[in-house]
Amino acid sequence: MVEETSATGWETQLSKNEQIAIDVRDAVKRYGDFTALKTISLSIKDNEFFTLLGPSGCGKTTLLRMIAGFEDVTEGGIFLYGDEIENLPPYQRPVNTVFQNYALFPHMTILDNVAFGLEMRGANKSDARKKAGEMLELVQLSQFSARKPSQLSGGQQQRVALARALAPQPKVLLLDEPLSALDLKLRKAMQLELKHLQRETGITFIFVTHDQEEALTMSDRIAVMSAGELQQLGSPNDIYERPRNMFVADFIGETNLLEVSVDKVENGRAICHLGGGHELTCNAVDEVGVGSKVHLSIRPERLFMSEEPAEGESLKAKVRENIFVGTDITTILDLADGPEFIVRTSNSDRGNKRIFEPGTDMYVNMEVGAARLLVD
Amino acid sequence: MATAKSAKFDIKAYRGFKAITLLCLFVLYAPLIVVTIYSFNASASLTNWEGVSFRWYVDVFTGPESGKFKTAALNSFIIAIAAATMATTLATLAATGMVRGGKFKLRSASFGLISLPLMVPEIVTAVATLIFFNAIGFDRGIMTILLAHTAFCVPFAYLPIAARMQGIEDSYEQAAMDLYANKRQAFTKILMPLMMPGIISGFILAFIVSLDDFIITNFVKGAGVETLPTAIFGSVKQGIKPNIMAISTMLLGLSVVMVTISYFVSKADNTK
Ligand SMILES: Nc1ncnc2c1ncn2[C@@H]1O[C@H](COP(=O)(O)OP(=O)(O)OP(=O)(O)O)[C@@H](O)[C@H]1O
Ligand SMILES: [Mg+2]
């Protein structure tokens, strides 16, 4: 259903079966007569930082809990390095979870929390504690090992949860919005730390978030989900630059979504009509033929303004408003009898790209190919 | 205070509120206070105060009735400890099933069944238990008292345990199972320690209820077997002597201490 858009593609991935860490095959999840997941299939590669991204309620947690073993799989299967696991209880799956609320055992010390998984796996107490101490060193919390979880800050608890889940060396680590409770600065720092930990340990991470920026920053590949369905699977660059449909384009980043009708398709290019006599050329898409009324996505940072029409695509417009947003300036434009456009100019670029006063007539320009046709 | 102020109807604004409150408190506590004070009376009289003395306390332990009371007290404590232990175990299992068993059919019916004995008049339970033991041909004695106490103590132990358990998120057990603990290990290593304050408080409540029970005990005890309450009753039938007041005061003191412990333990947090 959903094409793999990354350079590797499906074939190389499927032929080397041992390289797939988690393979979800036609998994369906129903709660009574409510379908939370509608036939999801995806393969997560060994040693990959994989992100499930989607708005609240789209089924990310449900999918993660099915992989961890806390939810039954209504239909379909889940494979871990080729072994079918969907009928195993959680304690028989070499998969560990960092819970959203951390779920640190409140009656145990930090050290005992981290040692718990090792002990349950059969290590004796002193070995488990030694290993746990090393894990705490890795997340720089050694000095807190005798404390109880309630005596740590949110960010520290977060790192303990991470150490506890990593200590038994799981084959796959599941993280359900682990950073959502942290403030912005700490979140940014933890994003980097998580990424480093993933590289260092070589463990496959499956990360859940509804924050598209976080997903783009951290992931090797992203699965965008909505309403229990997979919308697109690909690298952050694919997802951002080549969104497959309306939902993905709208959900990831900011974009100009324009309703267009396709007038002509030739040489792999589609001529689209925007209304008010304005025309744009963009790359044709197989699913979109002549005469279709579809949407077009143009990222605001791919647009620039000038007094005279530039090379490539140019449209005549009038400036409505400039909004200063720190690193950027956002300009809202109106096309005569046509749609409005949002243009983003980086503050550092202001020497090269001009900002116009409201009310000025000018041209808004883009490279051919900057606009992308979407299937609905 | 804050809630009283913000409430639309401040009950304290009603005329006579204070008087009624004082009257209720008086009716509730005056007898206890009188008994406590007169247990320290130097005289054998129940009404004339003749100075402070511990004479009746000494009498309880050394006087003519001391042997009877000692045996009865021993029976009472053995029964209370055994019954509370069994009731607490059953109540812990029941609470685990009720709170962690997910939604099952007849769940509210089960809850009703567990807590109903709290509302049934004790005399009914007493008669029913007696008839039951007769029907199955069980000889009355310490054993019957123990079984009856275990049965009626279960709801008292259940309530604090279930309340505690409801406050424990199930993500802790999930985290344990995620970390390779099987169901039994998740229960003994994670859930049980977190529930401990509720379990202790349930045990103490059951212990006190068993220790104080008179009606049911009186029905199901065999001839010659006495617990402290039945022994006190037997003694009182021959006329009230101040030594009874001394025993009552000691029992009262024990109850107050135990209920206080139970209260603080149930609020205690073993997670800090
Ligand atoms: N136990 C359940 N019974 C019935 N419906 C459920 C249950 N658990 C989840 N759902 C439903 O399944 C859908 C997906 O839930 P899920 O928790 O997976 O969403 P999510 O993508 O993790 O959202 P969020 O970002 O808010 O955490 C929701 O509509 C939710 O209401
Ligand atoms: Mg969720």
Side-chain angles (χ1 to χ4, degrees):
Chain A
M1 266 221 331
V2 176
E3 337 135 56
E4 168 81 6
T5 42
S6 83
T8 26
W10 280 115
E11 300 85 90
T12 50
Q13 209 189 112
L14 285 176
S15 61
K16 289 193 202 152
N17 209 33
E18 75 279 8
Q19 282 221 319
I20 295 177
I22 291 277
D23 201 11
V24 179
R25 294 191 197 154
D26 300 323
V28 177
K29 178 67 192 179
R30 276 190 285 271
Y31 294 108
D33 46 17
F34 173 73
T35 308
L37 290 179
K38 301 164 192 160
T39 327
I40 296 270
S41 291
L42 48 87
S43 301
I44 296 158
K45 293 182 217 163
D46 184 32
N47 200 0
E48 175 170 54
F49 199 117
F50 190 91
T51 297
L52 295 171
L53 173 67
S56 184
C58 72
K60 308 179 295 288
T61 299
T62 303
L63 181 54
L64 209 66
R65 288 171 60 83
M66 280 158 61
I67 297 172
F70 301 126
E71 298 285 354
D72 300 332
V73 178
T74 313
E75 278 169 36
I78 297 176
F79 295 78
L80 176 75
Y81 290 94
D83 299 327
E84 193 158 4
I85 59 164
E86 81 266 8
N87 292 320
L88 295 179
Y91 49 88
Q92 284 174 11
R93 304 184 188 198
V95 169
N96 288 349
T97 309
V98 176
F99 290 84
Q100 184 165 5
N101 60 358
Y102 314 143
L104 298 176
F105 306 131
H107 59 298
M108 293 184 185
T109 62
I110 299 306
L111 188 69
D112 287 341
N113 261 281
V114 179
F116 187 84
L118 295 158
E119 264 179 66
M120 290 300 113
R121 272 205 141 172
N124 67 43
K125 221 178 173 93
S126 65
D127 284 354
R129 289 203 161 160
K130 192 161 157 283
K131 186 86 200 303
E134 290 167 18
M135 281 316 296
L136 283 175
E137 235 164 80
L138 189 65
V139 296
Q140 291 144 34
L141 285 175
S142 305
Q143 70 270 38
F144 297 125
S145 56
R147 290 207 194 167
K148 293 275 179 72
S150 62
Q151 296 164 328
L152 297 188
S153 74
Q156 290 163 343
Q157 291 183 22
Q158 213 285 321
R159 300 222 293 280
V160 175
L162 199 59
R164 183 178 72 173
L166 282 172
Q169 291 178 311
K171 290 194 171 147
V172 175
L173 187 74
L174 310 176
L175 305 104
D176 192 357
E177 306 204 24
L179 308 182
S180 61
L182 308 179
D183 65 56
L184 187 65
K185 214 167 168 185
L186 195 53
R187 197 155 77 213
K188 298 271 181 215
M190 279 305 297
Q191 288 176 359
L192 288 179
E193 200 169 326
L194 271 180
K195 189 89 188 143
H196 288 156
L197 267 176
Q198 196 266 327
R199 290 271 155 76
E200 267 170 55
T201 55
I203 292 172
T204 307
F205 278 33
I206 306 180
F207 185 86
V208 162
T209 183
H210 59 252
D211 181 341
Q212 43 99 12
E213 208 180 309
E214 191 165 275
L216 293 173
T217 319
M218 302 177 72
S219 321
D220 294 325
R221 284 193 310 155
I222 300 172
V224 184
M225 293 173 64
S226 145
E229 278 177 305
L230 195 55
Q231 300 295 332
Q232 188 169 359
L233 184 71
S235 70
N237 193 44
D238 288 329
I239 302 261
Y240 188 79
E241 300 290 353
R242 287 176 288 282
R244 201 181 138 263
N245 61 21
M246 271 277 283
F247 177 83
V248 177
D250 198 24
F251 188 70
I252 310 287
E254 209 185 334
T255 197
N256 291 292
L257 274 184
L258 308 171
E259 238 178 279
V260 298
S261 55
V262 180
D263 289 348
K264 200 155 75 175
V265 178
E266 56 182 24
N267 303 332
R269 291 280 156 92
I271 316 282
C272 307
H273 190 245
L274 306 188
H278 300 285
E279 272 190 353
L280 266 182
T281 308
C282 57
N283 292 327
V285 172
D286 284 346
E287 289 101 321
V288 180
V290 175
S292 4
K293 284 206 174 294
V294 289
H295 283 85
L296 193 74
S297 158
I298 312 170
R299 299 285 180 199
E301 71 274 15
R302 303 285 297 264
L303 295 167
F304 58 96
M305 298 171 286
S306 60
E307 254 165 276
E308 298 299 327
E311 273 175 51
E313 297 285 306
S314 276
L315 300 165
K316 197 168 160 44
K318 190 196 270 295
V319 175
R320 193 199 303 165
E321 202 179 350
N322 287 313
I323 303 159
F324 177 73
V325 286
T327 53
D328 301 316
I329 290 172
T330 300
T331 307
I332 304 173
L333 309 172
D334 289 307
L335 259 54
D337 301 322
E340 69 168 45
F341 267 86
I342 293 173
V343 180
R344 186 169 319 133
T345 312
S346 166
N347 242 337
S348 61
D349 265 2
R350 265 202 289 171
N352 310 330
K353 295 181 186 171
R354 276 204 56 186
I355 300 292
F356 294 84
E357 290 303 312
T360 320
D361 285 314
M362 35 60 76
Y363 288 87
V364 58
N365 317 289
M366 74 201 82
E367 298 156 32
V368 176
R372 195 169 156 82
L373 278 175
L374 306 170
V375 295
D376 283 324
Chain B
M1 285 298 273
T3 49
K5 262 184 202 152
S6 60
K8 273 188 187 141
F9 301 100
D10 187 350
I11 194 160
K12 280 185 276 181
Y14 286 99
R15 224 183 310 161
F17 171 77
K18 211 169 184 175
I20 292 173
T21 310
L22 288 177
L23 182 68
C24 289
L25 285 175
F26 179 77
V27 170
L28 272 173
Y29 286 101
L32 293 177
I33 292 168
V34 169
V35 164
T36 308
I37 291 173
Y38 272 81
S39 72
F40 294 104
N41 194 353
S43 136
S45 159
L46 294 174
T47 46
N48 296 332
W49 179 257
E50 282 178 18
V52 179
S53 134
F54 286 95
R55 128 173 211 216
W56 299 113
Y57 287 87
V58 176
D59 184 79
V60 168
F61 291 100
T62 59
E65 289 182 302
S66 64
K68 187 175 101 184
F69 284 139
K70 267 182 205 158
T71 323
L74 194 64
N75 282 343
S76 269
F77 279 102
I78 291 171
I79 290 166
I81 288 171
T85 306
M86 291 197 285
T88 309
T89 310
L90 288 173
T92 305
L93 297 177
T96 310
M98 291 288 291
V99 180
R100 287 296 194 264
K103 276 190 196 127
F104 55 91
K105 254 194 235 169
L106 303 178
R107 182 171 162 167
S108 23
S110 310
F111 178 73
L113 276 178
I114 294 175
S115 45
L116 187 66
L118 293 175
M119 278 156 274
V120 173
E122 204 181 336
I123 185 74
V124 176
T125 313
V127 171
T129 316
L130 176 64
I131 294 173
F132 174 73
F133 283 137
N134 274 342
I136 62 170
F138 225 75
D139 278 340
R140 283 185 284 161
I142 285 226
M143 212 45 206
T144 47
I145 305 179
L146 181 57
L147 288 174
H149 279 212
T150 302
F152 80 76
C153 282
V154 166
F156 290 95
Y158 175 82
L159 290 179
I161 295 174
R164 177 80 190 183
M165 198 164 205
Q166 253 145 11
I168 302 173
E169 290 168 48
D170 55 6
S171 61
Y172 296 125
E173 291 138 272
Q174 287 182 359
M177 290 210 264
D178 192 59
L179 293 162
Y180 314 103
N182 60 32
K183 281 196 172 139
R184 195 177 51 78
Q185 288 167 319
F187 182 77
T188 55
K189 293 198 184 278
I190 305 299
L191 195 54
M192 275 275 277
L194 290 177
M195 277 167 66
M196 213 24 106
I199 293 177
I200 292 174
S201 140
F203 177 88
I204 291 176
L205 266 180
F207 175 84
I208 284 296
V209 168
S210 162
L211 195 69
D212 285 354
D213 179 73
F214 172 72
I215 301 177
I216 293 174
T217 315
N218 204 33
F219 272 70
V220 301
K221 79 187 176 72
V225 181
E226 299 289 352
T227 64
L228 210 42
T230 63
I232 291 172
F233 183 70
S235 176
V236 165
K237 275 198 293 195
Q238 273 125 49
I240 304 178
K241 281 205 303 157
N243 63 343
I244 295 302
M245 296 200 200
I247 295 185
S248 303
T249 305
M250 288 189 278
L251 266 179
L252 178 66
L254 182 68
S255 299
V256 170
V257 169
M258 296 294 255
V259 170
T260 310
I261 293 176
S262 155
Y263 174 76
F264 282 110
V265 167
S266 74
K267 299 191 91 182
D269 200 339
N270 58 348
T271 62
K272 292 266 156 64

